[in-house]
Amino acid sequence: MESFTTRLNTFIDGCTEDYLIRYANKGLYNRANKDIDKGITVQYTWTGQEAVQCILSDEHIVQLTDDIERCTCNCPAEQLCKHILIAILYEQRHHLIGAGAGAGAGAGAGAGAGAGAEKLSDASHLEGEDEQNEATIDIANDTASAHQSDTADPSERANPANPANPANPANPASVSNGFAWMTDEPLSELLSGFTHAQLEEVDFRLGLEESIKVIHDTLLTVRLERTGVDVSFQRDKADLAAALCSVKTKDAPIYRLEALLRYRQQHGIDDQLSLEQHMYMFSNHPRVLEEAQQLFREMLLTGLARLPQTVTARLETLAITARSEGMPNLELLLRGIQGELELFFARHVRFQIGILRTRLMEAYLSLEAWQQEIGAAQRARLAGSFRSKYYAVAQLDLYGIGAEPWETRSGYRGITCYLYSAAERRIYTYTDTRPVYYESTTFNYEKQYQQSVAWRHALSLQRFVRGQWSFRMVKINRDHRLSTGEVGALEEQPRQPVETLDFASYELNADADSMVSATITLAIQPSLFGENNRQLLMLAIAQVESIQFDRLSQTTQINVITEAGELLEFTLLDHPEWRQQLQRVERSEAIRKLEHFRALVQTDGRQFYPISFLQEDRMLNLLLDQL
Amino acid sequence: MNPAEQLLSELTSWLDSVLLRGLAQLRLDDLPELERLIRSAKRLGMETLVELLTRQAEHIRQYTFQPSEPEPKEWIGNFFRLAAYAKMAM
């Protein structure tokens, strides 16, 4: 380790304006300089304990050492104060500390206290041979060292043309060299201080829209433009913890890593795989997997007819274990199987063996897939560890496009609002839902449609879905669901006509010969896992041809002609809750007369289920709005 | 119902009856029904399904002659793959 003197000088030289402003703030820096300009002076004394005592003329006392975090001051300020800055800046101007000696305590006390010396560079003031030798060695080291500050004339050093000036690009020890670590350092070294949760959050943020600006100064600053955060990396300090972040909250480590990774990305480095490897914390084969697979084997071999009812208890235990091992997808599958089995044992009319077969199949095959040689990220996706994590995004602009009511077999009811992000070309959802399998809870769709959204009391779902909104610091998850927690603020924007929006992949290719065949061959992957693999589409419709109720299929059909001239059939499934509304749809002249509008529909590859019709700034949610 | 839909419907019926009875209950006299499905699948050119069903038939033959077969993992895996096929084809 270099002598304290050298380290201290290196430190003081490193306290450039750029660094100090980013570490503290501009105001503090300017005030410190002003005070010096107004005549404050500092007297420096070695303490012999790797610190220099600085007595300011306003009677504040600062202890300077080679680490800014460990500098102290006797004023009440908790963090870096103006006085510490003054001690540093004054030294930069006057160079009073110099190539001084690490004086012994006794000698130091005598020489220092007595002299209140302005110049401490003369080692001969010290008594004791050891100290003297040490001082000599220090001086020798200093002059021998490549460190420029000891040798060059201070005023010359600041000259930008001086090759010794670090900011001069011609300086071989220039910006790019000092910061080569940012691209050259192996990622695992840099990630060592991070928790899995933090890495997951960074991975999530890397998937968001963001651009960076790189500012070269004595520090290399990466500005995350949309987030509005600056992260400044220090020369030759390959440590993320040493980077300065303009945001000083507990999110700072996240921003530091995000900034570094985006910088590396810009330099052509793809860290995704390494990041994923560090992110996921699954032990290779959690025991719950083996046990669940074993149970499924037994169930299939024995057959439902001969299954003991105790199997539901085993499923319950496994579901709880799955949850605790961070595998929500497996937990859901297990509970789904358990639920269906309970219907079976009760000889309940709602039992459907096909559903049980499919759930068992999904569970069994996903467990098999887990045991293959798949990457950490795929394991995590199988496990479903993302779904419950929500992250705040600085800004999100959304355009409401439709809302629909729904009910699941497992006894949940809800209303889902769909909102479009033009910037990301992606649909987000906001869902209000409640389990209704308890007798005491009900979910009345009409009433819930008028209930307020999470972020504003007077704003109903109905009003929300037909608006255009700018969100700040709202929480979303990887499935692009908005959190129902109250975090975030929203501001209404004037609603632009739907025709001015580009719905990208949600619009079917207008060149396709037939929209129907295009739909079927579309990216509707035959889905192995997950029921109801449905895709949302925004279709351009020319007119409504007819509306009728089909008694055979018990569905309400709206026949439309698309702008491309093709006939399509929209299907609304019958449901006791919405029967009246469906009758109103069937009788509605307003719908019949619609021309040149957009339709938000869901499709499973065979049928189109309409959610809403949109025209200019207006919206009609077929199952929820008044007709 | 077109022939393909017919076949898929028969397939799911077969799968469900096995699920109810238990895989271990399958015997040689369950083979004719399976072989009928294989023939239909062949006629319709559904190669993957033919392969899966043929394997299932082999497993049944094997099990019948060697009931002490320790861990019929492959057999079970094959059954669930048939179920997966049925789901994806729907």
Side-chain angles (χ1 to χ4, degrees):
Chain A
M1 167 122 101
E2 293 160 330
S3 72
F4 173 63
T5 315
T6 314
R7 283 182 278 128
L8 182 65
N9 283 322
T10 310
F11 163 65
I12 291 179
D13 279 342
C15 289
T16 58
E17 177 176 347
D18 189 20
Y19 176 80
L20 289 176
I21 287 181
R22 291 191 183 280
Y23 186 88
N25 60 69
K26 198 164 196 169
L28 202 67
Y29 179 81
N30 288 340
R31 284 197 293 282
N33 268 312
K34 240 196 204 141
D35 280 2
I36 298 177
D37 292 339
K38 283 198 264 177
I40 277 201
T41 61
V42 185
Q43 292 174 357
Y44 298 90
T45 320
W46 292 100
T47 63
Q49 273 128 28
E50 301 228 325
V52 171
Q53 183 172 271
C54 319
I55 303 176
L56 276 64
S57 51
D58 66 359
E59 298 185 0
H60 284 101
I61 303 179
V62 167
Q63 300 281 351
L64 261 193
T65 179
D66 63 338
D67 176 356
I68 201 164
E69 305 258 323
R70 288 186 289 124
C71 295
T72 57
C73 176
N74 66 351
C75 77
E78 280 185 19
Q79 291 161 338
L80 188 73
C81 65
K82 182 180 66 168
H83 313 110
I84 295 177
L85 285 188
I86 290 174
I88 295 172
L89 295 169
Y90 194 83
E91 165 60 14
Q92 283 181 352
R93 294 194 196 194
H94 299 279
H95 304 287
L96 301 174
I97 300 179
E118 290 211 36
K119 276 204 184 290
L120 294 174
S121 46
D122 193 344
S124 62
H125 282 181
L126 301 167
E127 290 168 70
E129 243 190 341
D130 286 353
E131 289 88 353
Q132 193 158 4
N133 285 343
E134 201 188 325
T136 319
I137 292 168
D138 281 348
I139 292 172
N141 280 344
D142 287 343
T143 50
S145 84
H147 193 72
Q148 297 121 340
S149 60
D150 290 328
T151 48
D153 173 359
S155 58
E156 211 190 321
R157 200 184 339 149
N159 181 354
N162 181 351
N165 182 342
N168 182 347
N171 182 350
S174 78
V175 159
S176 53
N177 277 358
F179 298 104
W181 67 266
M182 290 175 67
T183 47
D184 298 347
E185 191 81 359
L187 192 66
S188 28
E189 296 290 318
L190 298 166
L191 294 183
S192 58
F194 288 83
T195 65
H196 295 288
Q198 287 175 320
L199 293 179
E200 277 188 37
E201 183 158 355
V202 172
D203 183 54
F204 170 77
R205 295 194 57 84
L206 287 173
L208 299 175
E209 289 283 314
E210 179 64 279
S211 54
I212 60 169
K213 186 167 167 199
V214 179
I215 303 163
H216 295 280
D217 197 327
T218 55
L219 303 174
L220 194 157
T221 300
V222 174
R223 172 167 296 160
L224 300 169
E225 302 203 278
R226 286 187 80 179
T227 320
V229 171
D230 280 1
V231 177
S232 305
F233 299 96
Q234 299 197 48
R235 292 185 63 210
D236 300 316
K237 278 204 184 163
D239 178 11
L240 275 172
L244 306 180
C245 182
S246 60
V247 153
K248 319 262 185 225
T249 64
K250 63 176 172 62
D251 291 329
I254 310 276
Y255 293 125
R256 288 190 199 119
L257 182 57
E258 183 190 350
L260 179 67
L261 291 177
R262 289 192 185 276
Y263 177 84
R264 286 163 69 102
Q265 216 172 49
Q266 208 178 57
H267 283 70
I269 302 174
D270 180 7
D271 289 310
Q272 191 57 32
L273 219 58
S274 325
L275 186 61
E276 284 178 1
Q277 272 164 12
H278 286 85
M279 264 162 69
Y280 301 116
M281 52 188 202
F282 299 109
S283 53
N284 255 331
H285 296 295
R287 255 189 53 206
V288 65
L289 300 186
E290 310 257 343
E291 289 176 12
Q293 262 195 321
Q294 187 54 36
L295 178 57
F296 297 141
R297 284 188 202 119
E298 283 174 34
M299 285 172 65
L300 182 59
L301 285 170
T302 313
L304 296 183
R306 261 184 270 262
L307 268 186
Q309 299 214 8
T310 50
V311 76
T312 49
R314 284 175 71 184
L315 283 166
E316 172 80 30
T317 312
L318 283 173
I320 294 172
T321 313
R323 186 192 190 84
S324 65
E325 300 235 15
M327 307 180 72
N329 277 354
L330 180 58
E331 182 201 357
L332 219 68
L333 281 172
L334 287 164
R335 289 200 184 282
I337 292 167
Q338 181 192 18
E340 209 62 34
L341 263 182
E342 277 166 358
L343 291 178
F344 172 74
F345 287 135
R347 302 286 181 262
H348 199 286
V349 63
R350 276 177 46 206
F351 170 70
Q352 286 181 45
I353 194 167
I355 291 191
L356 182 54
R357 164 181 30 99
T358 302
R359 288 192 184 157
L360 275 169
M361 177 274 290
E362 286 180 11
Y364 190 82
L365 291 182
S366 64
L367 293 180
E368 240 193 43
W370 181 282
Q371 286 158 347
Q372 306 293 325
E373 285 300 311
I374 59 177
Q378 286 178 295
R379 287 234 166 83
R381 248 165 238 132
L382 271 181
S385 47
F386 301 140
R387 281 192 352 250
S388 51
K389 295 221 169 66
Y390 282 80
Y391 306 106
V393 288
Q395 179 167 355
L396 186 59
D397 296 316
L398 295 175
Y399 182 92
I401 53 178
E404 62 167 354
W406 49 266
E407 183 172 7
T408 67
R409 286 173 50 85
S410 53
Y412 274 80
R413 284 190 165 193
I415 296 176
T416 293
C417 296
Y418 298 94
L419 305 115
Y420 186 64
S421 160
E424 297 174 32
R425 297 152 79 90
R426 166 161 47 216
I427 293 179
Y428 281 76
T429 59
Y430 175 74
T431 298
D432 177 25
T433 171
R434 200 170 303 171
V436 292
Y437 44 74
Y438 301 121
E439 275 167 34
S440 53
T441 46
T442 54
F443 187 99
N444 177 294
Y445 293 104
E446 252 182 71
K447 206 167 137 235
Q448 290 304 124
Y449 195 40
Q450 302 306 326
Q451 290 302 306
S452 58
V453 296
W455 318 280
R456 198 181 281 186
H457 279 309
L459 183 58
S460 65
L461 274 181
Q462 180 175 29
R463 183 80 191 68
F464 172 64
V465 74
R466 33 184 40 79
Q468 186 166 344
W469 308 95
S470 202
F471 282 88
R472 295 222 171 273
M473 296 312 289
V474 69
K475 288 197 160 183
I476 61 176
N477 76 354
R478 284 184 190 248
D479 290 336
H480 309 108
R481 291 180 61 152
L482 296 172
S483 164
T484 50
E486 285 159 21
V487 175
L490 47 56
E491 206 179 279
E492 187 157 17
Q493 306 296 321
R495 186 174 170 89
Q496 63 190 99
V498 67
E499 297 82 4
T500 61
L501 287 169
D502 172 13
F503 286 95
S505 59
Y506 296 102
E507 295 173 7
L508 279 181
N509 189 353
D511 297 333
D513 283 333
S514 153
M515 204 170 279
V516 176
S517 61
T519 310
I520 292 173
T521 57
L522 235 233
I524 301 218
Q525 313 278 350
S527 107
L528 188 55
F529 300 127
E531 295 172 2
N532 300 329
N533 185 29
R534 290 184 173 191
Q535 172 137 350
L536 289 167
L537 294 174
M538 184 64 87
L539 303 177
I541 310 295
Q543 62 178 132
V544 174
E545 201 234 16
S546 59
I547 313 177
Q548 69 266 352
F549 179 73
D550 179 39
R551 218 160 274 133
L552 204 62
S553 58
Q554 293 282 301
T555 61
T556 305
Q557 290 160 351
I558 306 176
N559 294 305
V560 299
I561 301 176
T562 66
E563 294 286 11
E566 192 183 347
L567 187 66
L568 283 185
E569 186 181 276
F570 288 167
T571 306
L572 287 163
L573 299 173
D574 191 52
H575 189 289
E577 189 78 32
W578 306 310
R579 200 158 284 144
Q580 274 196 322
Q581 178 75 358
L582 289 170
Q583 284 168 357
R584 286 186 214 118
V585 167
E586 199 194 332
R587 291 194 302 260
S588 168
E589 277 302 304
I591 295 182
R592 232 175 274 272
K593 289 203 179 116
L594 274 176
E595 287 189 342
H596 305 298
F597 60 98
R598 296 287 188 272
L600 177 68
V601 307
Q602 285 197 61
T603 179
D604 54 9
R606 300 153 121 221
Q607 291 187 304
F608 298 93
Y609 306 98
I611 297 171
S612 58
F613 293 157
L614 302 120
Q615 196 174 47
E616 289 173 15
D617 60 350
R618 296 185 304 278
M619 170 191 302
L620 173 67
N621 293 311
L622 292 166
L623 292 176
L624 292 167
D625 285 335
Q626 300 278 15
L627 280 170
Chain B
M1 237 197 259
N2 70 45
E5 285 170 346
Q6 176 77 22
L7 175 56
L8 284 172
S9 171
E10 286 169 17
L11 173 64
T12 54
S13 295
W14 185 82
L15 291 170
D16 291 340
S17 78
V18 170
L19 181 57
L20 211 50
R21 289 167 55 199
L23 207 59
Q25 296 301 312
L26 291 179
R27 296 287 175 271
L28 287 178
D29 46 17
D30 290 301
L31 286 177
E33 193 185 343
L34 202 51
E35 275 154 10
R36 220 170 23 83
L37 290 175
I38 293 174
R39 282 196 300 274
S40 301
K42 270 192 185 147
R43 265 203 303 275
L44 292 166
M46 295 159 106
E47 311 262 333
T48 315
L49 185 54
V50 169
E51 210 179 298
L52 287 172
L53 288 169
T54 309
R55 287 245 66 206
Q56 183 66 219
E58 278 167 25
H59 283 303
I60 293 174
R61 282 194 194 95
Q62 219 179 0
Y63 182 78
T64 312
F65 289 118
Q66 290 175 300
S68 57
E69 173 73 23
E71 268 285 0
K73 278 187 188 168
E74 279 190 39
W75 191 9
I76 291 171
N78 175 272
F79 175 88
F80 282 124
R81 276 168 178 71
L82 277 166
Y85 186 99
K87 173 164 197 231
M88 290 200 277
M90 285 306 190

